[in-house]
Structures are given as structure tokens and as C-alpha cells.
Amino acid sequence: MAALEIDTVSKSFGGSAVLKAVSLDVRDGEFLTLVGSSGCGKSTILRVIAGLEPQDAGAVRIGGRPVDHLRPKQRNVAMVFQSYALYPHMSVKDNIAMPLIMQRLRLAERLPLVGRLSPRRAKVMAEIDGEVGAVARQLHIEQLLARKPAQLSGGQRQRVALGRAMVRRPDVFLMDEPLSNLDAKLRVHMRTELTDLHRRLGVTFVYVTHDQVEAMTMSDRVALMDEGRIVQLGTPADLYHDPLDLRVARFIGSPGVNVLPGTVTGAGVEVGGAQLPLPVAAAEGAAVQVGLRPETLSLDPPAGRPVLKIRLSATENLGAEVFLHGRADGAGDSPIIIRAPLDAFDRARAAGRLDGTVTVAVDPARAFVFDADGRRVGRRPVEAAVVRMPVPAE
Amino acid sequence: MTVLAAPSTPAPAPAAATVRRAVQSRVEARAGYLFATPALVLIVTILLAPIAVVIALAFTDYQLGAVEWAWIGLGNYERMLDDPVFWRSLANTFIYVAIVVPGSVVFALVVAILVNERKKTRTLYQIIYFLPVTTTLIAMSVVWHFVLNPQIGPIAALLRSLGLPAMDVFGDPDLVLAGLATIGIWQLVGFNMVLFLAGLTAIPRDLYDAADIDGADHPWDRFVRVTWPMLGPTTVFVVVTTTITAFRVFDTVAVITRGGPLGRSEVLLYAMYLEGFQYFDIGYAAALTVVFLVTVVALAVMQAFFLDRKVHY
Ligand SMILES: Nc1ncnc2c1ncn2[C@@H]1O[C@H](COP(=O)(O)OP(=O)(O)O)[C@@H](O)[C@H]1O
Ligand SMILES: [Mg+2]
């Protein structure tokens, strides 16, 4: 168990900078997720932490101890690969036992026949068997120990890979998109299993995914990456309700945030005819981008709040809630999605407010204003305690 | 009655359907054979018929150009049992195979691993090692004959200049097979290397990363725990094809040694060639061919069977 510090780490491959001075402190026992689109450098960070890829600059410390000069096996980290990387010619048992065999037997003792001459070997192997068995029981794979990886389902392989990582009791668990090869249903199930495992082991987890739902549901904190930089680090609620960058607002949340063009006025921001009374740190007349989460647009009568007029094009009824798709009149004709609870939708329909167009009320306190470069201006943090976290949809 | 009649009325319908299905499946089967016919005809005329002819000829005393011939049953095989040339050829062939197969497989594996680690020069090395494969062995035999010639060859000159006695590889009964085997290895390494390189490229990099993290980062451990097991299927293929190729050694013997000295480089194919095309004893040559075929097939099948079980995952 240990904290992990990544200190201004940079890495390029043949002239293209993949990591640009990345700094990140992972607390002891924390579940931290690196999330970002494909190719943003997530795997590279993991590989640098593990020691598989030397960084060009910067330092990595595990438990306060610099590990840059250490080989992967000396860093006491475990890694679960996207492909699982199980040894296909070895049984499940041998796969899981591999790190222990390498740790505890000397080179001569590992040799096929000569190794048996060592008096120590039998005792060590018995110990290893016991530990492998214990890990297999925890993961409910004890009946699979004799099989080869090819004879296992995707979910079972996943568990074997976890077992191989757990058996050495690492300081840090590194996971590179471990769920991306599973079918949707198993993926949802394994999310809870992994968070359970994290709670039981109490070990520091660094988890990489491109799936914002995994990031939001599993993590203590999330670091959103883009083009080799960490754009924002915070709790899932921080990233959802208080994105500091348009890229964060867009990446987190499903359906995605609505982005409308706006203009800074004396009183705040004007967007699609609506005046949002927001303190904005930008010059009057400047063009801005206003982010509105789909659930912050209300179908109920505006009651004095600013409104947007929307031409509806499609309605998706998901049972408990309804997604309304349309375009915002006067706001550059931007596409827009409204996420309404079913009762609000029914009320609006009964009142005849859904006749091809709809007027929605905007909550200025929950609008995000970004400048032309996508940086947040006019920050208005909302109390996370007040706003209920919506459950992200798949 | 109606209760009983009810189930009996629809009965003919399934029966008719069954008949129709049977007819249809027979039609389909016939069409299937029709489609397979061209391939079957080709296989029979190109592969099976010649083999059958050889097997039949082996039971005759047919001489090339002769008008009369007779069935002599196992006569050719009986003759073979008492033929010292046959036994010598068989033994020499096995010795040759026993040197060439391990030699070219191990050498090719080492070269492939070394070449695989090169980034920029990889293609260059690949081409260099592959060159012997692209040459004709007859022409190269002439070159080797010259290179190793005890009077005028550069190797002999080098040895002489060092004050050492010149070696007459192809004139020395104890060296001749080793000399031929060296040429065989030289010719096969490039091809086997390419096969091993393909096998090496197919090993996922993740496995080496996992091995690094698990502590198997010593070159020996990486080789024993990842590379070698992952190359298993490739190795089986390489060993089997190399064995078959080595068994067919002929060109170098025919061009360089003609079976000499003292018959110490007589091999099966060369004996077959002599019997068939020098002494025109087609029946006996056919019998030798049958023995050759059976041996090669048996060996290849055995290897494939035993090794394949070991490398299966
Ligand atoms: N060994 C390598 N050689 C060259 N380029 C690489 C290498 N590894 C990664 N890259 C490049 O670095 C970028 C980031 O890769 P990666 O960290 O794997 O992204 P992610 O895991 O976020 O999808 C990609 O553009 C990729 O092509
Ligand atoms: Mg990746």
C-alpha cells in the first residue's frame, strides 16, 4: 500500500510528445481513474509508472520512494492488461503463480529438472500453491486452476489476470482498460466487482479507461486527459458539475452537454435570446460557449427564469425519463438534447406545450460558460451536496 | 373415433415431407460431388496416380526401354535387403538429416531472434540470410566445391598461409557428410529464419510486458517462459519441413561428390537416380522411391503428432 506521485513526467515517441509534463498525486488506497479518448497517452502513463517505458523527464515515486531507477519487478506494482496478457501455454494456476515463482525461486531452482535438486524448492512451491489457491477462492476461479486460458471465457480470463496481479500483494494496482473486451452486461457486473475488490484490498488503484461511465461510477477521483495533459483532476461530481474546460464538460456525461454560442453582455451572458445573469471574467461583446447539461433544461413553466425556444425533431422515451432532441432557435441552430423526468414530460404534453417547439427554462446557476479556447470563465461552483448526481446512462 | 382419427389424418403429410427431404438431400449430395469433381480429378491425376504407378512399378522388373517385363512381387524389396548400397544410402541420409535439421533449426532460431531485435537493419539482414534460398543449389554447389577445393580454394589457401594442412572436405570419407550438411544448413537457415521471424512477430508485446512485471525479465526467462513456448507451433512446422527437405538431399551429392569417396556420401535420392537413370532399373528405383516416401511421411507424421501435442495451447 502506498501513495503514488507522478512529477512532471514527459515522454515522446520519435518526436511526437505523448506526455507533456504530467503531474499527478494518487493518495494511498485511492481508486483513481485516468479517462480520455483513445490515443491521449493513458496507457503510456501506466507503462511509465510500471517501468515498462522510461520517461524522458520527470520522476515517479511510490510510497515517497523514487522508483525511476528500478526495474518493473522491483517497483512492486501489478498490471492488468487490456488483452489480459495471460501466458497461453500455462495453466491458470501457473499463470497466477508466475510472479511468486519468479520472486521466490532462484534461477537454478526454476530450471526444469535441475531445480528439483534444491531442497528448498518443494517447500516454496507448496507455499505458492497455498497462496494461489487463496487468491483463486477470492475470485471464485478455484475450479478453473487446471485449465489453459484458451479454455476460458472473457470474464474468466479477466479474473485470472486479476489473480495474477493480486497474488503478489502489490503496492499499486495498474489497470489498462480491463473491461473493454467484455460484453456490456458483464462489464456492468465487473464494475461493481472491481470496486468491491478495491475496497477489500485497500490498495492504490490506477485505472485507465476511455469510458466515462466507468470513470464516474468506480472512482474516488478522476483525471481527465487530453493530448498528453491532465485537463482536470477531481471527484466524479466535480468533473460533472464543475468542469473547468469545455473538453471535460463534453467528455463527461451521457447524453453529452449542450453547447450553444453566446455573447458576453453587461448583465452576464446572452444565449439564444436568453439573458443569463452570470458574472463572467471576459470582455463585453466577447463570444463564449455556454454549456447546458440536458437535465438542467426544464420543461416546466419558466417562472421568471430565462428561456430558450427549441424546435423538436425527435423524442426518445426511456421509461423513467424522456430525451427530447431538437435545435435551439436563435442560438446558431445548435443541436440540443433535453433530459426530462417522465412526469415533467407528461405535464408539458398535457398542457400542450410540446407542439413541435418547446420553451425550456434555463437554470443560470447550472450553466457553464467557456471562452473561445474552451476555458471556463465565470465560474459558479455549485454545492455538490445540493445537486443530486444523476446516474449516467450507458 | 374422431378423437383417434384426428391425429391419424395429418400423418401422411410428415411422411411425404420426409420423402421430399430425402430426395432433396440426395440431389444436394450429387451436386456436391459434381462441384468437387474438378478438384478430385486434379488430385488423382497429379498426386495419387503417379504414386500408384510408382508403387505398381516397384513390383515389376521393368527396365527403361525394355519391351518385356514381369511381375516379380516383392523381388525388388528382397534385393534391397541384400544391397549394401541401399543400407549405406539410408544410413548416410539419416546422418545427414540428423545434422541438418537441428543445425538449421537452432541456427535459424538464433539468427531470427537477433535479427528481430534490429530495428533499422532488420530488412538488410533478412535479405542477406535469405539469399541462399533464392539461389539454385546446383550453381551454389559448384561455388562450394571451388571454395573448399584443397588445391585452388580460398579456404585451403588461408589454411596454408597459417601453416596448417589443407582440408579436403569432399575427399575425406570422415568429413564429406559434414561438409554436405554444412551446405544444407547454409541453404536452409534463411528460409527457416523467415518462418521464425514471422512467429516472433506474432508474439504479443503485452506478454513480454507481463513477464517483465512478473519478474521474468532475465533474457533466459523471457526466452524459456515466453518466446520458446509461443514459437512452439512455428517450430513444429519448421522441423517437419526441414526434415522433408533434408531427406531429399540430392543436388550437392550429384554435383560435388557423386556419392564418394568410398560411398560415404551416397544418399537415398542419389541411389534412386543411379538405379533409374544410369542403370535404367526402373522397377528397383521405384521400390527405393516407395521406401523413401514411406520413411519421409512416417517421420513427418510422427513429428507433427508428438510435437503438436506438446505445443498445443
Ligand atoms: N511504443 C510506441 N512507439 C511509438 N508511438 C507510441 C508508442 N506507444 C504509444 N505511442 C503513441 O502514443 C500515443 C498515446 O498512446 P497511448 O498511451 O497508448 O494512448 P491511450 O492508451 O490513451 O489510447 C498514441 O498516439 C500512440 O500512437
Ligand atoms: Mg491504451
Side-chain angles (χ1 to χ4, degrees):
Chain A
M1 255 183 278
L4 167 72
E5 291 159 67
I6 297 164
D7 190 355
T8 52
V9 163
S10 298
K11 173 83 193 170
S12 335
F13 287 110
S16 69
V18 172
L19 298 179
K20 299 163 188 161
V22 172
S23 290
L24 182 65
D25 282 359
V26 187
R27 297 170 194 145
D28 186 5
E30 182 176 31
F31 194 127
L32 184 127
T33 300
L34 290 167
V35 69
S37 47
S38 171
C40 68
K42 307 179 298 286
S43 299
T44 308
I45 290 200
L46 278 202
R47 296 172 58 79
V48 167
I49 298 172
L52 295 171
E53 204 82 73
Q55 68 269 33
D56 299 337
V60 176
R61 286 182 286 274
I62 296 176
R65 191 172 59 115
V67 295
D68 305 300
H69 58 290
L70 296 179
R71 302 160 76 78
K73 64 175 175 187
Q74 297 165 317
R75 299 188 179 195
N76 203 21
V77 297
M79 187 149 166
V80 176
F81 294 84
Q82 181 170 4
S83 64
Y84 313 137
L86 300 176
Y87 308 109
H89 53 285
M90 293 185 193
S91 67
V92 166
K93 184 175 146 196
D94 291 345
N95 262 286
I96 299 179
M98 179 83 154
L100 299 185
I101 290 177
M102 288 295 147
Q103 249 173 23
R104 298 181 193 172
L105 290 181
R106 284 185 287 265
L107 184 61
E109 292 169 329
R110 298 197 300 262
L111 291 177
L113 291 168
V114 189
R116 297 193 186 277
L117 299 176
S118 160
R120 225 169 58 89
R121 192 188 136 106
K123 188 167 148 279
V124 175
M125 285 308 284
E127 261 170 43
I128 291 177
D129 275 3
E131 285 170 53
V132 170
V135 165
R137 265 191 303 286
Q138 277 190 55
L139 294 167
H140 309 291
I141 50 172
E142 62 270 52
Q143 74 286 0
L144 305 176
L145 283 175
R147 292 208 202 157
K148 297 268 173 76
Q151 299 164 304
L152 303 178
S153 69
Q156 290 168 333
R157 276 179 222 177
Q158 163 87 72
R159 282 164 203 269
V160 177
L162 283 173
R164 185 174 63 180
M166 281 162 62
V167 76
R168 62 191 302 178
R169 302 171 197 280
D171 289 333
V172 178
F173 241 85
L174 306 173
M175 300 199 187
D176 195 352
E177 315 215 6
L179 305 186
S180 58
N181 284 340
L182 302 179
D183 62 63
K185 202 169 158 205
L186 195 55
R187 198 151 57 213
V188 174
H189 173 75
M190 285 307 289
R191 289 210 299 253
T192 48
E193 276 212 19
L194 282 181
T195 40
D196 266 1
L197 186 71
H198 172 248
R199 222 183 349 263
R200 276 209 312 274
L201 300 176
V203 178
T204 311
F205 270 42
V206 180
Y207 184 96
V208 159
T209 180
H210 66 267
D211 180 349
Q212 58 100 16
V213 179
E214 281 175 26
M216 296 296 278
T217 51
M218 298 167 75
S219 333
D220 295 324
R221 285 192 304 163
V222 178
L224 192 136
M225 286 189 68
D226 190 51
E227 295 186 341
R229 287 201 177 82
I230 292 180
V231 182
Q232 187 173 350
L233 169 66
T235 63
D238 283 344
L239 266 64
Y240 191 86
H241 295 294
D242 194 12
L244 301 183
D245 194 290
L246 182 56
R247 287 171 288 176
V248 179
R250 280 195 195 274
F251 198 90
I252 304 290
S254 173
V257 70
N258 299 302
V259 181
L260 309 178
T263 317
V264 179
T265 63
V269 176
E270 185 272 337
V271 56
Q275 290 292 333
L276 308 185
L278 285 170
V280 174
E284 206 172 321
V288 290
Q289 309 178 72
V290 179
L292 299 165
R293 294 266 180 225
E295 68 276 8
T296 65
L297 301 172
S298 165
L299 294 180
D300 287 328
R305 281 180 297 171
V307 295
L308 286 174
K309 272 185 79 108
I310 291 161
R311 274 177 294 112
L312 292 176
S313 54
T315 311
E316 281 180 286
N317 193 331
L318 272 71
E321 53 187 10
V322 181
F323 295 169
L324 296 107
H325 299 256
R327 287 181 180 275
D329 261 351
D333 218 23
S334 318
I336 205 159
I337 300 179
I338 305 154
R339 179 180 190 171
L342 188 65
D343 52 351
F345 175 75
D346 285 341
R347 276 196 304 276
R349 196 165 47 182
R353 289 201 299 272
L354 294 176
D355 54 350
T357 62
V358 65
T359 305
V360 292
V362 180
D363 181 358
R366 294 167 75 186
F368 318 128
V369 182
F370 305 96
D371 65 14
D373 298 329
R375 267 188 307 271
R376 181 88 173 269
V377 287
R379 209 167 148 194
R380 228 264 24 209
V382 279
E383 253 95 315
V386 179
V387 185
R388 209 187 83 258
M389 266 294 294
V391 181
E394 276 304 314
Chain B
M1 266 332 269
T2 40
V3 181
L4 280 175
S8 70
T9 22
T18 316
V19 172
R20 225 177 305 128
R21 255 199 308 275
V23 170
Q24 192 188 348
S25 75
R26 223 175 304 140
V27 170
E28 273 175 15
R30 218 173 297 149
Y33 284 118
L34 210 64
F35 283 124
T37 309
L40 272 174
V41 168
L42 277 177
I43 288 177
V44 169
T45 53
I46 298 178
L47 298 173
L48 299 181
I51 292 177
V53 168
V54 167
I55 292 173
L57 278 174
F59 294 116
T60 70
D61 66 352
Y62 179 66
Q63 303 263 327
L64 197 64
V67 202
E68 287 188 10
W69 57 273
W71 294 103
I72 54 166
L74 293 173
N76 283 324
Y77 295 100
E78 278 161 25
R79 181 178 147 198
M80 211 183 287
L81 290 178
D82 296 328
D83 182 357
V85 175
F86 165 71
W87 288 112
R88 224 168 28 226
S89 305
L90 192 67
N92 285 340
T93 308
F94 270 99
I95 294 171
Y96 178 87
V97 170
I99 304 174
V100 168
V101 173
S104 66
V105 172
V106 171
F107 193 22
L109 178 62
V110 172
V111 170
I113 289 174
L114 294 179
V115 169
N116 196 40
E117 277 165 20
R118 304 258 64 83
K119 294 268 137 45
K120 294 202 189 86
T121 48
R122 183 186 156 122
T123 325
L124 179 72
Y125 281 113
Q126 251 173 295
I127 291 171
I128 291 174
Y129 278 98
F130 200 71
L131 272 179
V133 184
T134 63
T135 61
T136 65
L137 202 47
I138 300 271
M140 282 299 122
S141 298
V142 176
V143 174
W144 277 98
H145 201 177
F146 165 74
V147 168
L148 292 173
N149 187 293
Q151 271 84 47
I152 54 168
I155 302 264
L158 182 74
L159 288 175
R160 262 197 302 276
S161 73
L162 293 171
L164 297 166
M167 270 196 308
D168 184 4
V169 175
F170 299 122
D172 185 334
D174 294 328
L175 286 181
V176 65
L177 266 183
L180 292 174
T182 307
I183 303 177
I185 293 172
W186 171 82
Q187 222 245 340
L188 276 167
V189 159
F191 189 64
N192 290 349
M193 174 203 69
V194 169
L195 293 175
F196 276 127
L197 273 176
L200 284 171
T201 320
I203 301 177
R205 192 178 69 147
D206 277 359
L207 279 187
Y208 289 108
D209 289 342
D212 272 355
I213 288 178
D214 290 346
D217 53 358
H218 188 280
W220 168 254
D221 282 312
R222 284 164 72 93
F223 178 75
V224 174
R225 313 235 161 212
V226 181
T227 311
W228 180 239
M230 295 303 288
L231 280 181
T234 310
T235 310
V236 172
F237 182 73
V238 170
V239 167
V240 171
T241 53
T242 306
T243 306
I244 293 171
T245 313
F247 249 96
R248 294 198 315 226
V249 55
F250 174 76
D251 316 28
T252 44
V253 176
V255 173
I256 303 177
T257 66
R258 304 224 176 79
L262 307 174
R264 292 292 281 272
S265 67
E266 277 168 337
V267 291
L268 270 182
L269 270 197
Y270 191 67
M272 235 146 72
Y273 160 77
L274 287 185
E275 292 295 342
F277 299 101
Q278 298 292 313
Y279 315 144
F280 302 124
D281 197 343
I282 297 294
Y284 189 51
L288 286 173
T289 309
V290 170
V291 169
F292 173 79
L293 269 180
V294 168
T295 318
V296 170
V297 169
L299 236 112
V301 168
M302 248 159 51
Q303 281 173 343
F305 184 72
F306 282 117
L307 293 176
D308 219 28
R309 276 209 308 202
K310 281 228 164 128
V311 300
H312 193 75
Y313 51 76

